[in-house]
Amino acid sequence: MGAKYRGSIHDFPGFDPNQDAEALYTAMKGFGSDKEAILDIITSRSNRQRQEICQSYKSLYGKDLIADLKYELTGKFERLIVGLMRPPAYCDAKEIKDAISGIGTDEKCLIEILASRTNEQMHQLVAAYKDAYERDLEADIIGDTSGHFQKMLVVLLQGTREEDDVVSEDLVQQDVQDLYEAGELKWGTDEAQFIYILGNRSKQHLRLVFDEYLKTTGKPIEASIRGELSGDFEKLMLAVGFRGFWNTAGSYWHSSLLSSPCSPNPLVLQGLGTRDNTLIRIMVSRSELDMLDIREIFRTKYEKSLYSMIKNDTSGEYKKSLLKLCGGDDDAAGQFFPEAAQVAYQMWELSAVARVELKGTVRPANDFNPDADAKALRKAMKGLGTDEDTIIDIITHRSNAQRQQIRQTFKSHFGRDLMSDLKSEISGDLARLILGLMMPPAHYDAKQLKKAMEGAGTDEKALIEILATRTNAEIRAINEAYKEDYHKSLEDALSSDTSGHFRRILISLATVSEFLGLRSTCPSGADTPSGDKTSLETRFMTILCTRSYPHLRRVFQEFIKMTNYDVEHTIKKEMSGDVRDAFVAIVQSVKNKPLFFADKLYKSMKGAGTDEKTLTRIMVSRSEIDLLNIRREFIEKYDKSLHQAIEGDTSGDFLKALLALCGGED
C-alpha cells in the first residue's frame, strides 16, 4: 500500500478536544444519555484525537471518560465505543485477554491479531498488556496454548521479523528448498522449519519465497501447509504465510468479515446471526488502516457492499456506529466506481481477451490396448462375484474415445454388449458413474436431459446446468444424440415439459448458435439490459442466450461501469425462480465455468445428505474437459481439496471411482 492512506477514519478538521469533552459530558449528564451525540463524536475522530478527548475530559471534570461510557452504554454498542476509545495496543491487549480468559480459548482471535501486527505494533501490544493487567503476555499465551501452535505464537510475540529492505535471492532459494524438504519430501513434517521461516522472514522476502516455491514445486505453498499441518497450527500458518502477507491488501480482513480466518464457516456477517466480537474487532482495528481496501475486495467478491451487509444484519446505535466506521456505501452511485468497481471492471477487461487453458484429469492411456482391456473386463465380470477394482481401474483411466474402442472390441471378441454386462454386475451409484463414463458425451448429456424431464416432476437444475454450460458444438451433438436415442427433438421435449420464460430460455440455449459479430466494447450500452420490467426477461434472454462468451464479458464490464453492479447481482434482485437460476448459471459460466462447477460440486456434498446424481453428472462430464481447473477453483474457494471433500462424503467403490476421476490430491 506504500504511503497511500486507505483508512475510512481521518483526523477530524477543526478538532477541539475541550469542546468534544464538554459535548460528551453533556450527552451523559442527567437521566439517560444522548447516544446519537456520543457515536457521532467518537466515530468521527481519529484514535489520536480520542486520546486527547480523554485527557481533556479528565482535566475538565476529574472523571475517566471510558469509565463513564461503560456506565452509560450497554451491550455491543458499549463494546464498540469503548474499543474505539482505547489506544490500538490496549484494544488488542483487551481482545487477547478476553480470548484466553475463562474455560476455553478463542484461537481465532489470537490468530487474527498476532498473525497480522507489525514488529512495532507487537512491542506496543506486549507493553500495553503488561501495563493493563500486570501480567506477561508471553507467559499467559504459553499457559493457555500448547504444541506447535504455541511455539509459533511465541515467535510472533517477539516482534523480530526482518524488515522489508534487502532480500537475498540466494536465501530465497535456500528457504524454498528448506520448506520443501521439511514438508513434501519428508516422512512426517519438520514443523520447526516452517515456524522459523514463516515467523522470521520479512513479508517481501516471503512473497518471493512463495512465488519461487510454486515455480520450483508446481504446488502453491498454501496447499503444502494444508497437507502437512493441521488444526489451529495450520490456520495460524496460513494466516501468517498466505492471507496475512501475500494476498491482495485487505483480503485477509474481508475473509474474516465473512468468515473465520482460513475457513468459509462460520459466517460473521450473513444469515443466521452476526459474530459481533469479531466484527467489532476488525472494524475498530482496521478503520484507520485499510478499511477502503477491505470494502473494495468485499464488494468485488461478494457483489454486495460491506455497508449494506452491516445495515441488514445489525440494528440501533450499534449499526449506526458501524456504518460510520465503514465510511461509505459501495452500492451507491459514485461510491463503488472507481474503487471496487474498477477492480471488477479490469477483471472483465482481462477475461475478455484471456485464454485459459482447460485441463481434464482423464487423458488417453499410454500404450492403450483395447484387446487386453476387453479381456480384463470380461474376466472381472465372469463367474461368481465381480472384480469392481479392475472395472474401476480400467474405465476411469481411459479416455472416452478409448472406452468406445473397448466396447467395440468386447462385442467383437465375446459377442456381448459391454454396457449390458456392466449393468448386470454393478449397481447403485457406482453403476451410474461407470455406465455414464462408457457413454459418448453427447449421448450421456441427452440421457441426463431426458431423465430431468421424466416422471411427475422436472429437475430444472439439471436442465440449467447442462444447457447453460455447453459449447455450440456440444449443443449440436446433444440435439443429434437426443433425436437418435429418443426419436423426438430436444426442442419438442423442452416445450412439453417446461413453460413461460423458462421454456423460452432453455429452447434458446438448445437451438440458437452464439452471435459471432463480436464488438470490442459496448460503450453505447446497446447490449445492456434496460427498460420496463415486463420485457426484462426477454431483453436478458436475447443477449445472454445468443452472444459469445468474449462478447458477454465485454458487456458485463460495461454494465458494472454504468450501474455499479455486477449483472449477476441485478438478476438476483430483479428476477426469481427458474428464470433467475438459468440467467445466473449463464453469467457464472461466462465468468468462470470451472468455478461454476466447483460450486455445484461443493453444494452436492454439503449438509446432511449427498446429491450423488449431480456429483456423478459433473465428474463424468468434466473429467476430460476441465476437472483439473475445477479442482483448483474448489480449493481456492473452499480451503479444502475436492479429493478431501469426496473422501469425506462418499464411500466404497463409488468413492474409489470418484477419486480416480479426481486425479489427485491438491
Side-chain angles (χ1 to χ4, degrees):
M1 292 187 293
K4 188 177 179 182
Y5 182 80
R6 300 291 292 164
S8 57
I9 300 297
H10 308 253
D11 280 342
F12 188 75
F15 171 64
D16 184 338
N18 287 334
Q19 182 177 323
D20 285 346
E22 290 174 8
L24 288 171
Y25 182 78
T26 301
M28 294 185 284
K29 188 178 180 181
F31 184 72
S33 55
D34 184 351
K35 297 179 178 62
E36 288 275 359
I38 294 170
L39 74 87
D40 184 61
I41 292 171
I42 292 176
T43 60
S44 300
R45 309 300 188 262
S46 66
N47 192 274
R48 178 188 64 79
Q49 291 175 331
R50 295 182 204 123
Q51 304 316 309
E52 291 187 45
I53 295 171
C54 281
Q55 292 173 359
S56 295
Y57 193 90
K58 182 163 282 189
S59 298
L60 290 171
Y61 306 108
K63 296 163 69 72
D64 181 73
L65 176 56
I66 291 180
D68 280 3
L69 288 168
K70 283 183 178 180
Y71 181 79
E72 292 291 334
L73 309 178
T74 59
K76 295 173 284 190
F77 181 51
E78 176 210 331
R79 187 177 181 91
L80 176 63
I81 293 298
V82 170
L84 288 168
M85 291 306 302
R86 291 192 177 102
Y90 284 82
C91 191
D92 281 349
K94 175 67 164 60
E95 292 295 325
I96 289 182
K97 186 70 166 64
D98 289 346
I100 58 179
S101 295
I103 298 175
T105 303
D106 184 353
E107 290 86 2
K108 292 181 178 65
C109 174
L110 297 181
I111 292 170
E112 180 196 308
I113 294 175
L114 298 182
S116 63
R117 301 311 190 243
T118 65
N119 288 346
E120 182 181 357
Q121 289 170 336
M122 198 67 77
H123 296 152
Q124 292 171 351
L125 165 60
V126 171
Y129 192 91
K130 185 77 171 177
D131 180 52
Y133 305 110
E134 298 181 352
R135 297 178 63 88
D136 181 68
L137 177 54
E138 182 178 326
D140 282 359
I141 291 289
I142 290 173
D144 211 66
T145 58
S146 61
H148 298 297
F149 180 63
Q150 175 198 93
K151 292 174 186 174
M152 185 61 180
L153 291 178
V154 170
V155 168
L156 294 173
L157 278 172
Q158 307 314 304
T160 54
R161 183 180 296 282
E162 296 168 354
E163 300 295 339
D164 286 334
D165 40 26
V166 179
V167 178
S168 165
E169 290 187 14
D170 291 339
L171 186 55
V172 167
Q173 293 294 337
Q174 184 62 52
D175 283 348
V176 169
Q177 188 62 32
D178 288 345
L179 286 172
Y180 193 45
E181 291 177 356
E184 299 288 338
L185 295 184
K186 187 179 180 63
W187 180 260
T189 306
D190 182 359
E191 290 86 353
Q193 194 67 265
F194 278 84
I195 290 172
Y196 175 73
I197 294 174
L198 270 67
N200 289 280
R201 300 291 190 245
S202 70
K203 290 186 282 187
Q204 180 60 31
H205 180 91
L206 286 177
R207 289 190 186 99
L208 297 177
V209 169
F210 299 154
D211 287 343
E212 194 60 36
Y213 188 93
L214 178 60
K215 294 176 188 175
T216 302
T217 68
K219 193 171 186 178
I221 187 67
E222 70 270 19
S224 292
I225 290 173
R226 289 189 185 98
E228 298 297 327
L229 311 178
S230 62
D232 293 321
F233 181 49
E234 173 197 342
K235 294 172 185 174
L236 174 59
M237 299 305 271
L238 284 170
V240 170
F242 177 36
R243 295 187 176 174
F245 291 157
W246 71 309
N247 256 14
T248 307
S251 62
Y252 176 81
W253 302 108
H254 96 266
S255 290
S256 292
L257 279 165
L258 260 184
S259 61
S260 60
C262 309
S263 169
N265 286 303
L267 299 181
V268 172
L269 273 172
Q270 195 172 1
L272 298 177
T274 302
R275 294 218 163 183
D276 295 288
N277 287 354
T278 303
L279 176 58
I280 290 168
R281 185 168 60 244
I282 295 172
M283 296 299 289
V284 168
S285 65
R286 311 313 295 184
S287 59
E288 293 187 52
L289 297 176
D290 51 11
M291 184 56 67
L292 297 184
D293 293 308
I294 295 170
R295 278 173 41 188
E296 179 178 316
I297 298 168
F298 191 102
R299 178 61 174 81
T300 301
K301 187 176 178 77
Y302 299 105
E303 297 168 9
K304 188 172 186 178
S305 70
L306 176 59
Y307 187 98
S308 62
M309 202 76 158
I310 291 171
K311 188 175 181 180
N312 293 333
D313 214 61
T314 58
S315 61
E317 285 80 14
Y318 175 55
K319 174 173 75 174
K320 293 175 184 176
S321 300
L322 289 171
L323 294 179
K324 289 285 291 288
L325 293 178
C326 189
D329 184 359
D330 297 311
D331 285 342
Q335 289 282 339
F336 181 30
F337 204 90
E339 286 178 4
Q342 185 66 48
V343 175
Y345 185 90
Q346 291 168 353
M347 178 193 75
W348 287 120
E349 187 171 38
L350 291 172
S351 67
V353 296
R355 294 291 182 269
V356 178
E357 185 181 3
L358 300 179
K359 292 183 178 180
T361 54
V362 175
R363 301 173 182 85
N366 296 324
D367 302 321
F368 171 59
N369 186 337
D371 184 73
D373 284 346
K375 289 177 180 177
L377 287 171
R378 175 62 179 152
K379 182 179 178 182
M381 295 185 286
K382 191 175 180 181
L384 187 64
T386 304
D387 182 358
E388 287 88 354
D389 286 344
T390 296
I391 295 172
I392 292 169
D393 184 59
I394 292 174
I395 293 177
T396 60
H397 291 94
R398 306 295 184 268
S399 68
N400 193 273
Q402 290 175 334
R403 294 181 204 125
Q404 303 316 310
Q405 292 184 55
I406 296 171
R407 286 181 68 176
Q408 184 60 51
T409 302
F410 194 90
K411 181 167 281 191
S412 298
H413 281 0
F414 308 111
R416 302 171 65 88
D417 180 63
L418 177 55
M419 295 287 279
S420 297
D421 281 5
L422 286 168
K423 282 182 183 179
S424 67
E425 292 292 330
I426 56 178
S427 61
D429 296 326
L430 178 64
R432 278 192 288 270
L433 182 66
I434 294 298
L435 292 171
L437 290 168
M438 290 302 303
M439 297 179 70
H443 289 267
Y444 179 74
D445 278 346
K447 183 176 182 180
Q448 297 306 304
L449 290 169
K450 182 72 164 59
K451 280 181 170 292
M453 294 183 282
E454 281 180 344
T458 303
D459 185 351
E460 291 85 359
K461 289 182 172 59
L463 296 179
I464 292 168
E465 177 201 306
I466 295 171
L467 294 176
T469 60
R470 301 311 192 248
T471 65
N472 281 351
E474 289 168 339
I475 289 290
R476 283 193 289 270
I478 291 170
N479 274 289
E480 292 171 6
Y482 200 95
K483 185 77 171 178
E484 178 184 340
D485 293 345
Y486 306 111
H487 310 292
K488 183 179 183 179
S489 74
L490 176 57
E491 181 178 347
D492 287 344
L494 291 168
S495 294
S496 62
D497 207 67
T498 58
S499 61
H501 288 299
F502 183 56
R503 175 174 62 193
R504 294 174 61 204
I505 293 167
L506 295 180
I507 291 175
S508 181
L509 290 170
T511 58
V512 180
S513 297
E514 292 175 276
F515 172 67
L516 299 179
L518 174 62
R519 293 168 292 184
S520 59
T521 57
C522 196
S524 66
D527 262 4
T528 303
S530 61
D532 60 290
K533 280 192 175 184
T534 57
S535 63
L536 192 62
E537 291 84 359
T538 300
R539 291 170 180 268
F540 270 78
M541 184 185 73
T542 301
I543 296 167
L544 295 180
C545 297
T546 63
R547 305 299 196 255
S548 70
Y549 274 26
H551 180 89
L552 286 175
R553 291 187 184 108
R554 288 293 191 189
V555 172
F556 296 166
Q557 180 189 26
E558 293 300 316
F559 191 90
I560 290 174
K561 186 175 180 180
M562 292 172 64
T563 68
N564 286 351
Y565 287 98
D566 192 295
V567 68
E568 184 179 340
H569 177 276
T570 299
I571 291 169
K572 289 177 178 177
K573 182 180 179 182
E574 299 293 336
M575 301 178 193
S576 62
D578 297 327
V579 171
R580 175 200 60 206
D581 294 343
F583 284 148
V584 166
I586 295 168
V587 171
Q588 290 178 345
S589 184
V590 172
K591 285 181 177 180
N592 186 334
K593 194 178 291 185
L595 178 58
F596 170 81
F597 284 115
D599 285 337
K600 292 290 182 185
L601 286 171
Y602 178 77
K603 289 172 184 174
S604 75
M605 295 180 281
K606 183 183 178 184
T610 304
D611 181 358
E612 290 87 357
K613 290 181 181 179
T614 299
L615 178 57
T616 299
R617 187 170 59 244
I618 295 175
M619 295 297 287
V620 168
S621 64
R622 311 312 296 182
S623 58
E624 290 186 59
I625 300 174
D626 55 3
L627 190 52
L628 187 59
N629 305 80
I630 293 169
R631 275 172 40 185
R632 290 170 180 165
E633 296 293 347
F634 194 99
I635 196 169
E636 176 68 23
K637 182 166 184 179
Y638 297 111
D639 289 324
K640 68 188 297 187
S641 70
L642 177 58
H643 188 285
Q644 289 172 324
I646 291 171
E647 203 168 33
D649 213 64
T650 58
S651 60
D653 293 322
F654 183 50
L655 167 63
K656 293 177 186 176
L658 288 173
L659 292 182
L661 288 179
C662 189
E665 166 71 281
D666 295 302

